[in-house]
Amino acid sequence: QQKRMKEHAAKIGAAKRGDTVVTGGGLIGKVTKVSDEEVEVEIAQGVKVRAVKGTLSDVRAPGGTPAND
Protein backbone atom coordinates (compact mmCIF):
# COMPACT_ATOMS: atom_id res chain seq x y z
CA GLN A 1 0.00 0.00 0.00
CA GLN A 2 2.80 2.43 0.85
CA LYS A 3 4.49 1.53 -2.42
CA ARG A 4 1.34 2.50 -4.36
CA MET A 5 1.07 5.76 -2.43
CA LYS A 6 4.71 6.64 -3.20
CA GLU A 7 4.24 5.82 -6.88
CA HIS A 8 1.10 7.97 -7.00
CA ALA A 9 2.85 10.89 -5.28
CA ALA A 10 5.77 10.66 -7.71
CA LYS A 11 3.39 10.58 -10.68
CA ILE A 12 1.50 13.66 -9.46
CA GLY A 13 4.72 15.49 -8.63
CA ALA A 14 6.04 14.85 -12.14
CA ALA A 15 3.04 16.50 -13.84
CA LYS A 16 4.27 18.90 -16.50
CA ARG A 17 2.89 21.26 -19.10
CA GLY A 18 0.98 19.40 -21.81
CA ASP A 19 0.04 16.41 -19.64
CA THR A 20 -3.60 15.44 -19.31
CA VAL A 21 -4.74 15.23 -15.70
CA VAL A 22 -7.83 14.05 -13.85
CA THR A 23 -8.80 15.96 -10.70
CA GLY A 24 -10.32 14.40 -7.61
CA GLY A 25 -13.67 15.84 -8.72
CA GLY A 26 -13.45 14.06 -12.07
CA LEU A 27 -12.53 17.03 -14.28
CA ILE A 28 -10.20 16.16 -17.15
CA GLY A 29 -7.98 18.77 -18.74
CA LYS A 30 -4.56 19.74 -20.01
CA VAL A 31 -1.89 21.23 -17.77
CA THR A 32 -0.91 24.72 -18.96
CA LYS A 33 1.20 25.92 -16.03
CA VAL A 34 2.92 24.22 -13.08
CA SER A 35 4.07 25.73 -9.78
CA ASP A 36 5.33 24.11 -6.58
CA GLU A 37 1.92 23.36 -5.10
CA GLU A 38 -0.56 24.04 -7.92
CA VAL A 39 -1.22 23.32 -11.56
CA GLU A 40 -3.28 25.36 -14.00
CA VAL A 41 -5.58 23.11 -16.00
CA GLU A 42 -7.41 24.02 -19.20
CA ILE A 43 -10.72 22.15 -19.06
CA ALA A 44 -12.21 23.72 -22.19
CA GLN A 45 -10.91 26.10 -24.82
CA GLY A 46 -10.10 29.31 -22.96
CA VAL A 47 -11.36 27.96 -19.61
CA LYS A 48 -8.55 27.50 -17.10
CA VAL A 49 -8.74 26.51 -13.45
CA ARG A 50 -6.09 26.14 -10.77
CA ALA A 51 -5.88 22.91 -8.81
CA VAL A 52 -3.73 21.88 -5.87
CA LYS A 53 -1.43 19.06 -6.96
CA GLY A 54 -2.56 16.90 -4.04
CA THR A 55 -6.10 16.80 -5.43
CA LEU A 56 -5.06 15.28 -8.76
CA SER A 57 -6.08 11.66 -9.06
CA ASP A 58 -4.30 10.74 -12.31
CA VAL A 59 -1.75 12.05 -14.78
CA ARG A 60 -2.01 10.74 -18.32
CA ALA A 61 0.58 10.94 -21.07
CA PRO A 62 0.17 13.83 -23.50
CA GLY A 63 -1.61 13.12 -26.75
CA GLY A 64 -4.74 11.60 -25.25
CA THR A 65 -8.18 12.60 -26.49
CA PRO A 66 -9.28 15.90 -24.93
CA ALA A 67 -12.50 15.71 -22.95
CA ASN A 68 -14.22 18.42 -24.99
CA ASP A 69 -13.08 17.71 -28.55
Side-chain angles (χ1 to χ4, degrees), residues 4-50:
R4 281 195 304 263
M5 288 177 62
K6 285 181 184 178
E7 289 172 358
H8 182 259
K11 191 179 198 183
I12 299 305
K16 60 187 181 303
R17 187 173 182 206
D19 285 349
T20 299
V21 294
V22 181
T23 68
L27 294 175
I28 301 172
K30 188 193 300 188
V31 176
T32 57
K33 189 177 0 175
V34 180
S35 67
D36 288 339
E37 297 294 322
E38 298 178 350
V39 293
E40 185 176 87
V41 182
E42 185 174 29
I43 56 175
Q45 190 172 5
V47 180
K48 297 178 182 178
V49 295
R50 290 184 348 201

